Amino acid sequence: MIHPAQPADRRTRVIVDTDAKNEADDQYALVHALLTPSFEIHGVIAAHFGTRRSDQSMEDSREEVDLVLELMGRQGRVPVANGAPTGLPDETTPVPSPGSALIVQEALRDDPRPLHVAFYGPLTDMASALLTEPAIQDRNVRVVWIGGGEYPDGGREFNLSNDIHAANVVLGSRLEVWQIPRSVYRLMAVGYAELMERVAPHGPLGRYLVDQLVEWNARWVDGPMEYRSLGDSPAVGVMMYPDCGRWQLRPAPTIDADMRYVHDDQNPMIRVYDSVDARFVLEDFYAKLARFASGRL
């Protein structure tokens, strides 16, 4: 049975902003979003991930996005744009890019459905879009961000570290923000045995997803390792089913230079997830990958 068609006016509008070559989990969340029939993908943006692992990180992400689309046979069928090559220099200066222009374009589109912009890395392109066109904060835009430290204190976290200024711009705006902090996304761990059984058998795409994960661990992890957290995948889960985890509304913090949360109650309320149903997210991904590989999706 082919997956039932989704009525066009009920599909979720989505842009994915991914630092796809940063680690080995963005690829899973990107594929999952692209294979979700209830999503209407309006673009994929290649994001930077600082300079600690590469001096051309945005370009590396773009190459990885293109490779994933090639493995899926979807080149030319999904708009792809380059994001900013670096983080913001301060909280008033954007770093414009084709990616931030795409966000502005889609945010201003006359469509009653919310636009979900899912960030698997830093918030640079959202902040740049907002600083370039402030009117988008009064449109129906929902920012879904994998990033930030554990509440209430915050602290060091990789995605946030790559653009603290951008996070403050977005959290201080009137945009609707759903934050999935490190304390939640790190619990999306999967072992090699599970990946070899549930992902690797499903064609060149499945094999690549597993191989690149194992290779990343071998290169960057010192010591024994046979797991990885698919930490970006909760963004897909909450866009599919917003209550697939526990969440609460909190005043958005201001974030200091050490990535600590400053709770001055001056910012708008945001949705902060305290948990996500890993079973729902992972099993949905495994099933969609299997159906895609067999031509049923």
Side-chain angles (χ1 to χ4, degrees):
M1 175 182 176
I2 302 297
H3 199 287
Q6 301 289 315
D9 62 350
R10 297 182 64 182
R11 296 171 72 193
T12 301
R13 292 200 298 153
V14 173
I15 292 173
V16 173
D17 190 291
T18 172
D19 53 345
K21 199 59 176 176
N22 167 38
E23 290 191 28
D25 54 314
D26 284 73
Q27 293 88 339
Y28 288 77
L30 175 58
V31 170
H32 195 176
L34 292 169
L35 292 183
T36 297
S38 61
F39 288 0
E40 184 176 281
I41 304 294
H42 285 255
V44 177
I45 300 171
H48 75 91
F49 48 94
T51 57
R52 279 166 283 185
R53 294 180 180 143
S54 171
D55 59 3
Q56 53 171 24
S57 60
M58 184 277 291
E59 291 86 351
D60 294 341
S61 292
R62 175 59 189 262
E63 289 180 7
E64 189 71 359
V65 169
D66 290 341
L67 175 58
V68 169
L69 289 172
E70 180 182 352
L71 288 167
M72 298 180 74
R74 298 197 176 184
Q75 314 98 305
R77 295 170 55 188
V78 178
V80 182
N82 289 347
T86 65
L88 303 189
D90 53 52
E91 293 176 18
T92 61
T93 307
V95 182
S97 67
S100 63
L102 174 64
I103 293 172
V104 171
Q105 173 186 308
E106 293 301 326
L108 296 178
R109 188 180 297 277
D110 186 16
D111 193 314
R113 297 170 296 166
L115 173 65
H116 296 70
V117 191
F119 288 86
Y120 301 167
L123 288 166
T124 307
D125 299 316
M126 189 75 246
S128 294
L130 186 61
L131 290 169
T132 302
E133 182 50 80
I136 67 173
Q137 67 188 312
D138 296 313
R139 306 291 290 184
N140 199 357
V141 178
R142 192 170 283 161
V143 177
V144 181
W145 179 40
I146 301 287
E150 183 173 0
Y151 277 80
D153 299 325
R156 293 200 62 80
E157 190 274 327
F158 188 82
N159 289 344
L160 172 59
S161 73
N162 286 321
D163 202 338
I164 299 171
H165 294 314
N168 280 325
V169 170
V170 173
L171 294 176
S173 75
R174 295 189 298 275
L175 290 167
E176 182 178 358
V177 176
W178 295 1
Q179 182 186 3
I180 302 170
R182 181 177 182 271
S183 53
V184 175
Y185 73 68
R186 69 195 297 263
L187 298 180
M188 296 292 295
V190 294
Y192 287 180
E194 182 177 3
L195 293 174
M196 291 302 297
E197 293 295 321
R198 306 296 300 278
V199 177
H202 298 301
L205 176 62
R207 172 56 65 180
Y208 176 73
L209 290 174
V210 176
D211 285 349
Q212 61 87 32
L213 184 148
V214 173
E215 290 168 5
W216 194 94
N217 279 353
R219 179 179 182 185
W220 294 104
V221 177
D222 183 18
M225 187 77 162
E226 62 166 294
Y227 75 91
R228 193 81 215 153
S229 173
L230 301 185
D232 294 312
S233 295
V236 181
V238 302
M239 289 190 293
M240 288 178 60
Y241 174 32
D243 288 325
C244 78
R246 295 181 181 274
W247 56 270
Q248 57 183 304
L249 290 176
R250 294 176 175 267
T254 300
I255 302 173
D256 70 16
D258 295 318
M259 291 177 273
R260 293 186 298 248
Y261 295 155
V262 179
H263 301 283
D264 50 18
D265 295 335
Q266 297 300 306
N267 288 337
M269 303 293 281
I270 63 172
R271 176 184 295 202
V272 179
Y273 278 85
D274 299 314
S275 67
V276 169
D277 185 346
R279 184 217 61 82
F280 167 72
V281 177
L282 293 174
E283 290 293 338
D284 186 74
F285 168 71
Y286 298 147
K288 284 173 177 166
L289 180 64
R291 292 175 67 83
F292 173 74
S294 65
R296 294 175 292 156
L297 184 63

